Amino acid sequence: MKSILMPAVALLTALLTAPLTVISAQAQNFPTRPIRIVVPFAAGGPADITTRNIAPRLTELLGQSIVVDNRAGGNGTIGAEAMIRAAPDGHTLLMTTASVTSINMVTYAKPPYDTLRDMLPLSPVMTTGSLIVLHPSMPAKNLKEFVAFAKTRPNQIAFGSAGTGGTLHLGLEMLMAEAKIKITHVAYKGAAPAVTDVIAGQIQGMFVDLPVISPYVKSGRVRAIAVAAQQRSPHFPDIPSAKEAGFANIDMLNYYGLLTQSKVPRDIALKLHDAIIKTVNTPAVRERLLSVGADPLTMSIEEFTDYIRKDIEKWRKVVKGANLSFER
């Protein structure tokens, strides 16, 4: 009896452990080709800048080149869907923002994907605040003056954003609701083209994340009238916060991070996570992120997943309070 039972036990053990052995071998050899990072916004925006800042170090750590694939449109949904449809082997990542993985879940009546079902959060890379900026020709020198000016010109002032329903658009909606003003919203396929039009005077202003606007504030090509937050930014300590101007509900902290598909094997996801952590904590990378007004940040897979879950609920309250809903 013993001689019959032992081979059966050995066979069962082999069958149970075989998949783990295969996955471990996959992770050991991973990656086998270039890693594609989908950026769901136009080139030159903060998501694109962030990706290109970390790409060289990620290339060194993973031993494969990084291909940046800009897929702008639909407030990030086009790029997000492109990542989700790719083979779940870890070779395709998404550089995400709160707009893509949090806000889209609560602004669209029928979101094209479910962040917590279809995606695997790997780690944030950084967080950043936003500034409210104007073209220098505008007479307002601060947020109070701008609100007073806007009240006399309902819908005659145009503000751009990186897309309908994103953080920058919602910042504008919050300001209009709280200040009781009406501003025309102009949606772009990313922050960079909107910034270009502010600089050119085609639109009068916008809410915009620090990484893409910092150089233009420092050079005087745009005028920053407030930090869209409860407190001043350490990167621009001389610019007052929205709260100081009397608008305490405007708080626009954004996150940028890397995700992959939820079906990617755990061993490969952990290898990617480890490379991201090491990249963000590389002194030269941290310095690059800090230099553009960002705050480097990393988390475990579980922490980042929980962070996004809570962020979705935070924006759900904002959207519900403003009674906003958008069709895709």
Side-chain angles (χ1 to χ4, degrees):
M1 182 71 176
K2 182 178 179 181
S3 61
I4 296 174
L5 181 61
M6 290 303 291
V9 172
L11 177 60
L12 179 60
T13 301
L15 289 172
L16 291 173
T17 58
L20 296 177
T21 303
V22 172
I23 292 174
S24 296
Q26 288 175 339
Q28 186 175 0
N29 295 326
F30 175 85
T32 59
R33 62 180 187 275
I35 299 288
R36 178 170 64 121
I37 300 182
V38 178
V39 176
F41 298 105
D48 182 69
I49 292 170
T50 302
T51 304
R52 296 180 192 278
N53 276 335
I54 68 173
R57 182 58 175 150
L58 267 181
T59 294
E60 292 175 4
L61 290 170
L62 293 172
Q64 289 284 351
S65 60
I66 303 294
V67 177
V68 180
D69 183 5
N70 294 92
R71 298 286 189 96
N75 196 40
T77 58
I78 292 174
E81 288 183 282
M83 185 279 291
I84 291 170
R85 289 195 299 267
D89 56 13
H91 287 88
T92 304
L93 309 181
L94 176 74
M95 174 58 73
T96 193
T97 69
S99 294
V100 181
T101 41
S102 296
I103 296 175
N104 283 348
M105 294 299 95
V106 297
T107 52
Y108 287 118
K110 295 181 179 179
Y113 51 82
D114 185 317
T115 296
L116 298 174
R117 181 195 66 204
D118 301 323
M119 302 182 190
L120 176 65
L122 294 169
S123 175
V125 171
M126 67 181 198
T127 59
T128 181
S130 298
L131 297 178
I132 305 172
V133 302
L134 301 176
H135 185 268
S137 66
M138 291 287 286
K141 299 297 189 293
N142 56 55
L143 186 53
K144 282 186 177 179
E145 290 182 5
F146 173 72
V147 168
F149 181 75
K151 283 184 176 179
T152 66
R153 292 163 176 80
N155 290 319
Q156 294 179 39
I157 299 170
F159 261 45
S161 80
T164 300
T167 53
L168 308 183
H169 178 201
L170 291 187
L172 174 60
E173 292 288 346
M174 283 191 281
L175 176 61
M176 288 194 291
E178 193 167 358
K180 296 180 173 56
I181 56 177
K182 293 185 180 297
I183 296 172
T184 299
H185 171 238
V186 183
Y188 290 78
K189 290 185 177 181
V195 168
T196 298
D197 275 5
V198 174
I199 293 170
Q202 298 298 316
I203 56 176
Q204 286 68 57
M206 66 183 295
F207 282 69
V208 58
D209 289 348
L210 268 67
V212 72
I213 203 65
S214 292
Y216 305 110
V217 173
K218 292 174 181 176
S219 67
R221 298 181 73 184
V222 298
R223 179 188 301 133
I225 58 171
V227 179
Q230 302 289 297
Q231 56 202 17
R232 298 191 181 201
S233 166
H235 302 286
F236 287 96
D238 295 332
I239 300 175
S241 68
K243 184 177 181 179
E244 288 178 70
F247 304 101
N249 291 327
I250 299 173
D251 196 358
M252 301 299 298
L253 184 67
N254 197 3
Y255 65 83
Y256 292 76
L258 289 168
L259 302 90
T260 190
Q261 301 97 332
S262 59
K263 295 181 181 179
V264 167
R266 181 74 176 183
D267 285 2
I268 290 177
L270 289 173
K271 190 168 185 177
L272 287 165
H273 171 266
D274 182 62
I276 295 165
I277 300 300
K278 290 177 179 177
T279 293
V280 176
N281 289 325
T282 298
V285 174
R286 291 183 64 85
E287 182 58 34
R288 282 199 295 272
L289 296 176
L290 287 166
S291 70
V292 296
D295 297 297
L297 177 68
T298 59
M299 296 179 185
S300 69
I301 290 175
E302 290 74 22
E303 288 171 336
F304 193 25
T305 302
D306 189 55
Y307 181 94
I308 292 175
R309 181 180 291 108
K310 291 177 180 177
D311 200 58
I312 291 171
E313 293 310 310
K314 179 191 84 171
W315 286 109
R316 191 185 305 279
K317 292 177 182 177
V318 170
V319 170
K320 185 176 180 180
N323 195 28
L324 298 173
S325 181
F326 307 102
E327 292 297 328
R328 185 165 181 251

